[in-house]
Tab-separated table of all heavy atoms in Angstrom:
chain	number	residue	atom	x	y	z
A	1	ILE	N	0.848	-1.185	0.000
A	1	ILE	CA	0.000	0.000	0.000
A	1	ILE	C	0.887	1.238	0.000
A	1	ILE	O	1.831	1.342	0.794
A	1	ILE	CB	-0.935	0.016	1.223
A	1	ILE	CG1	-1.875	-1.199	1.200
A	1	ILE	CG2	-1.743	1.307	1.261
A	1	ILE	CD1	-2.813	-1.287	2.395
A	2	LEU	N	0.585	2.162	-0.911
A	2	LEU	CA	1.305	3.427	-1.022
A	2	LEU	C	0.324	4.565	-0.806
A	2	LEU	O	-0.671	4.675	-1.524
A	2	LEU	CB	1.966	3.562	-2.399
A	2	LEU	CG	2.943	2.451	-2.811
A	2	LEU	CD1	3.371	2.637	-4.260
A	2	LEU	CD2	4.165	2.438	-1.893
A	3	ASN	N	0.581	5.412	0.178
A	3	ASN	CA	-0.263	6.576	0.439
A	3	ASN	C	0.235	7.779	-0.347
A	3	ASN	O	1.437	8.025	-0.418
A	3	ASN	CB	-0.217	6.940	1.927
A	3	ASN	CG	-1.257	6.215	2.740
A	3	ASN	OD1	-2.022	5.418	2.208
A	3	ASN	ND2	-1.290	6.468	4.028
A	4	SER	N	-0.682	8.522	-0.941
A	4	SER	CA	-0.343	9.805	-1.548
A	4	SER	C	-1.589	10.676	-1.497
A	4	SER	O	-2.709	10.166	-1.375
A	4	SER	CB	0.135	9.629	-2.995
A	4	SER	OG	-0.886	9.086	-3.807
A	5	PRO	N	-1.451	11.997	-1.577
A	5	PRO	CA	-2.618	12.880	-1.507
A	5	PRO	C	-3.618	12.594	-2.631
A	5	PRO	O	-3.265	12.557	-3.804
A	5	PRO	CB	-2.006	14.279	-1.650
A	5	PRO	CG	-0.598	14.128	-1.176
A	5	PRO	CD	-0.186	12.754	-1.623
A	6	GLY	N	-4.859	12.323	-2.259
A	6	GLY	CA	-5.917	12.129	-3.242
A	6	GLY	C	-6.071	10.729	-3.775
A	6	GLY	O	-7.088	10.414	-4.410
A	7	VAL	N	-5.104	9.862	-3.540
A	7	VAL	CA	-5.216	8.494	-4.061
A	7	VAL	C	-4.315	7.568	-3.245
A	7	VAL	O	-3.207	7.939	-2.852
A	7	VAL	CB	-4.853	8.411	-5.561
A	7	VAL	CG1	-3.398	8.797	-5.798
A	7	VAL	CG2	-5.154	7.028	-6.129
A	8	ILE	N	-4.820	6.380	-2.964
A	8	ILE	CA	-4.029	5.308	-2.354
A	8	ILE	C	-3.832	4.241	-3.423
A	8	ILE	O	-4.794	3.799	-4.053
A	8	ILE	CB	-4.740	4.725	-1.122
A	8	ILE	CG1	-4.826	5.791	-0.016
A	8	ILE	CG2	-4.029	3.483	-0.607
A	8	ILE	CD1	-5.662	5.367	1.179
A	9	VAL	N	-2.589	3.846	-3.649
A	9	VAL	CA	-2.264	2.858	-4.670
A	9	VAL	C	-1.899	1.542	-3.990
A	9	VAL	O	-1.156	1.530	-3.004
A	9	VAL	CB	-1.098	3.333	-5.561
A	9	VAL	CG1	-0.725	2.268	-6.583
A	9	VAL	CG2	-1.472	4.635	-6.271
A	10	VAL	N	-2.438	0.454	-4.503
A	10	VAL	CA	-2.130	-0.871	-3.979
A	10	VAL	C	-1.454	-1.669	-5.081
A	10	VAL	O	-1.997	-1.823	-6.182
A	10	VAL	CB	-3.387	-1.606	-3.494
A	10	VAL	CG1	-2.999	-2.898	-2.782
A	10	VAL	CG2	-4.212	-0.726	-2.558
A	11	LEU	N	-0.250	-2.156	-4.796
A	11	LEU	CA	0.505	-2.984	-5.734
A	11	LEU	C	0.423	-4.429	-5.266
A	11	LEU	O	0.862	-4.760	-4.158
A	11	LEU	CB	1.969	-2.537	-5.787
A	11	LEU	CG	2.230	-1.064	-6.093
A	11	LEU	CD1	3.732	-0.770	-6.035
A	11	LEU	CD2	1.661	-0.679	-7.440
A	12	TYR	N	-0.136	-5.288	-6.096
A	12	TYR	CA	-0.311	-6.696	-5.734
A	12	TYR	C	0.797	-7.539	-6.362
A	12	TYR	O	1.050	-7.435	-7.567
A	12	TYR	CB	-1.671	-7.203	-6.215
A	12	TYR	CG	-2.842	-6.525	-5.554
A	12	TYR	CD1	-3.544	-5.519	-6.206
A	12	TYR	CD2	-3.251	-6.887	-4.272
A	12	TYR	CE1	-4.623	-4.889	-5.608
A	12	TYR	CE2	-4.323	-6.262	-3.663
A	12	TYR	CZ	-5.008	-5.270	-4.331
A	12	TYR	OH	-6.078	-4.644	-3.740
A	13	GLU	N	1.420	-8.376	-5.540
A	13	GLU	CA	2.451	-9.258	-6.084
A	13	GLU	C	1.840	-10.245	-7.077
A	13	GLU	O	2.404	-10.501	-8.132
A	13	GLU	CB	3.149	-10.010	-4.955
A	13	GLU	CG	4.284	-10.903	-5.432
A	13	GLU	CD	5.032	-11.506	-4.278
A	13	GLU	OE1	5.707	-10.751	-3.549
A	13	GLU	OE2	4.947	-12.742	-4.101
A	14	ALA	N	0.684	-10.809	-6.734
A	14	ALA	CA	0.038	-11.778	-7.612
A	14	ALA	C	-0.328	-11.129	-8.941
A	14	ALA	O	-1.030	-10.113	-8.980
A	14	ALA	CB	-1.200	-12.355	-6.944
A	15	LEU	N	0.177	-11.686	-10.009
A	15	LEU	CA	-0.126	-11.241	-11.370
A	15	LEU	C	0.330	-9.811	-11.655
A	15	LEU	O	-0.104	-9.212	-12.631
A	15	LEU	CB	-1.632	-11.386	-11.674
A	15	LEU	CG	-2.126	-12.824	-11.706
A	15	LEU	CD1	-3.639	-12.869	-11.764
A	15	LEU	CD2	-1.521	-13.584	-12.871
A	16	HIS	N	1.213	-9.282	-10.805
A	16	HIS	CA	1.771	-7.940	-11.049
A	16	HIS	C	0.663	-6.930	-11.340
A	16	HIS	O	0.710	-6.171	-12.307
A	16	HIS	CB	2.750	-7.988	-12.230
A	16	HIS	CG	4.183	-7.950	-11.805
A	16	HIS	ND1	4.631	-8.588	-10.688
A	16	HIS	CD2	5.274	-7.332	-12.345
A	16	HIS	CE1	5.943	-8.394	-10.561
A	16	HIS	NE2	6.356	-7.639	-11.543
A	17	SER	N	-0.353	-6.908	-10.516
A	17	SER	CA	-1.500	-6.041	-10.757
A	17	SER	C	-1.502	-4.873	-9.772
A	17	SER	O	-0.718	-4.843	-8.822
A	17	SER	CB	-2.803	-6.840	-10.645
A	17	SER	OG	-2.844	-7.550	-9.417
A	18	TYR	N	-2.363	-3.922	-10.028
A	18	TYR	CA	-2.429	-2.744	-9.165
A	18	TYR	C	-3.866	-2.253	-9.067
A	18	TYR	O	-4.747	-2.645	-9.827
A	18	TYR	CB	-1.549	-1.609	-9.700
A	18	TYR	CG	-2.086	-0.971	-10.961
A	18	TYR	CD1	-2.909	0.153	-10.890
A	18	TYR	CD2	-1.806	-1.491	-12.213
A	18	TYR	CE1	-3.426	0.738	-12.040
A	18	TYR	CE2	-2.312	-0.920	-13.360
A	18	TYR	CZ	-3.120	0.191	-13.274
A	18	TYR	OH	-3.638	0.761	-14.410
A	19	ARG	N	-4.073	-1.346	-8.122
A	19	ARG	CA	-5.401	-0.803	-7.861
A	19	ARG	C	-5.258	0.636	-7.360
A	19	ARG	O	-4.304	0.956	-6.649
A	19	ARG	CB	-6.082	-1.664	-6.806
A	19	ARG	CG	-7.458	-1.221	-6.363
A	19	ARG	CD	-7.898	-2.080	-5.199
A	19	ARG	NE	-9.255	-1.804	-4.770
A	19	ARG	CZ	-9.768	-2.205	-3.607
A	19	ARG	NH1	-9.033	-2.921	-2.781
A	19	ARG	NH2	-10.992	-1.907	-3.280
A	20	GLN	N	-6.194	1.492	-7.752
A	20	GLN	CA	-6.222	2.865	-7.277
A	20	GLN	C	-7.489	3.103	-6.452
A	20	GLN	O	-8.588	2.788	-6.902
A	20	GLN	CB	-6.197	3.844	-8.449
A	20	GLN	CG	-4.952	3.745	-9.316
A	20	GLN	CD	-4.984	4.755	-10.444
A	20	GLN	OE1	-4.467	5.850	-10.329
A	20	GLN	NE2	-5.592	4.375	-11.550
A	21	ILE	N	-7.308	3.663	-5.265
A	21	ILE	CA	-8.427	4.038	-4.398
A	21	ILE	C	-8.403	5.560	-4.283
A	21	ILE	O	-7.517	6.131	-3.634
A	21	ILE	CB	-8.303	3.385	-3.012
A	21	ILE	CG1	-8.250	1.858	-3.136
A	21	ILE	CG2	-9.458	3.814	-2.115
A	21	ILE	CD1	-7.876	1.148	-1.843
A	22	PHE	N	-9.343	6.224	-4.924
A	22	PHE	CA	-9.335	7.684	-4.959
A	22	PHE	C	-9.960	8.245	-3.689
A	22	PHE	O	-11.063	7.860	-3.297
A	22	PHE	CB	-10.072	8.181	-6.192
A	22	PHE	CG	-9.339	7.870	-7.471
A	22	PHE	CD1	-9.688	6.767	-8.241
A	22	PHE	CD2	-8.283	8.664	-7.890
A	22	PHE	CE1	-9.004	6.469	-9.409
A	22	PHE	CE2	-7.592	8.376	-9.050
A	22	PHE	CZ	-7.944	7.275	-9.824
A	23	THR	N	-9.236	9.168	-3.053
A	23	THR	CA	-9.694	9.796	-1.810
A	23	THR	C	-9.855	11.299	-1.995
A	23	THR	O	-9.766	12.069	-1.028
A	23	THR	CB	-8.697	9.510	-0.681
A	23	THR	OG1	-7.387	9.972	-1.072
A	23	THR	CG2	-8.626	8.024	-0.376
A	24	ASP	N	-10.079	11.727	-3.244
A	24	ASP	CA	-10.163	13.154	-3.561
A	24	ASP	C	-11.592	13.679	-3.582
A	24	ASP	O	-11.850	14.781	-4.042
A	24	ASP	CB	-9.484	13.445	-4.904
A	24	ASP	CG	-10.061	12.602	-6.049
A	24	ASP	OD1	-11.036	11.854	-5.815
A	24	ASP	OD2	-9.529	12.691	-7.174
A	25	GLY	N	-12.544	12.878	-3.106
A	25	GLY	CA	-13.922	13.327	-3.007
A	25	GLY	C	-14.797	13.009	-4.201
A	25	GLY	O	-15.995	13.309	-4.194
A	26	ARG	N	-14.252	12.372	-5.219
A	26	ARG	CA	-15.057	12.014	-6.393
A	26	ARG	C	-16.073	10.928	-6.046
A	26	ARG	O	-15.906	10.191	-5.055
A	26	ARG	CB	-14.165	11.536	-7.536
A	26	ARG	CG	-13.535	10.170	-7.315
A	26	ARG	CD	-12.635	9.765	-8.466
A	26	ARG	NE	-11.474	10.639	-8.583
A	26	ARG	CZ	-10.616	10.572	-9.588
A	26	ARG	NH1	-10.785	9.668	-10.557
A	26	ARG	NH2	-9.570	11.388	-9.627
A	27	ALA	N	-17.096	10.804	-6.872
A	27	ALA	CA	-18.093	9.748	-6.715
A	27	ALA	C	-17.749	8.574	-7.623
A	27	ALA	O	-16.979	8.717	-8.589
A	27	ALA	CB	-19.481	10.286	-7.047
A	28	LEU	N	-18.334	7.425	-7.328
A	28	LEU	CA	-18.165	6.280	-8.218
A	28	LEU	C	-18.844	6.559	-9.552
A	28	LEU	O	-19.887	7.224	-9.597
A	28	LEU	CB	-18.770	5.022	-7.587
A	28	LEU	CG	-17.999	4.430	-6.397
A	28	LEU	CD1	-18.842	3.360	-5.717
A	28	LEU	CD2	-16.664	3.860	-6.856
A	29	PRO	N	-18.283	6.079	-10.665
A	29	PRO	CA	-18.923	6.303	-11.966
A	29	PRO	C	-20.291	5.636	-12.038
A	29	PRO	O	-20.487	4.537	-11.510
A	29	PRO	CB	-17.929	5.688	-12.959
A	29	PRO	CG	-17.081	4.761	-12.149
A	29	PRO	CD	-17.023	5.328	-10.775
A	30	LYS	N	-21.231	6.301	-12.698
A	30	LYS	CA	-22.604	5.796	-12.765
A	30	LYS	C	-22.784	4.703	-13.809
A	30	LYS	O	-23.628	3.818	-13.647
A	30	LYS	CB	-23.557	6.956	-13.047
A	30	LYS	CG	-23.644	7.969	-11.905
A	30	LYS	CD	-24.647	9.073	-12.213
A	30	LYS	CE	-24.745	10.050	-11.050
A	30	LYS	NZ	-25.731	11.142	-11.316
A	31	ASP	N	-22.024	4.747	-14.883
A	31	ASP	CA	-22.158	3.747	-15.945
A	31	ASP	C	-20.762	3.295	-16.375
A	31	ASP	O	-20.303	3.579	-17.477
A	31	ASP	CB	-22.921	4.322	-17.132
A	31	ASP	CG	-23.220	3.264	-18.195
A	31	ASP	OD1	-23.237	2.064	-17.850
A	31	ASP	OD2	-23.418	3.653	-19.366
A	32	PRO	N	-20.053	2.575	-15.484
A	32	PRO	CA	-18.656	2.243	-15.765
A	32	PRO	C	-18.498	1.114	-16.758
A	32	PRO	O	-19.394	0.283	-16.930
A	32	PRO	CB	-18.135	1.819	-14.386
A	32	PRO	CG	-19.340	1.224	-13.729
A	32	PRO	CD	-20.505	2.061	-14.182
């Protein structure tokens, strides 16, 4: 887990994948 302003990034060892968790106040997309 990497903390940064507005977004937390998660780097997964399995399958070299990643994830972004936005903490900047945005809403989830309505039609993703």
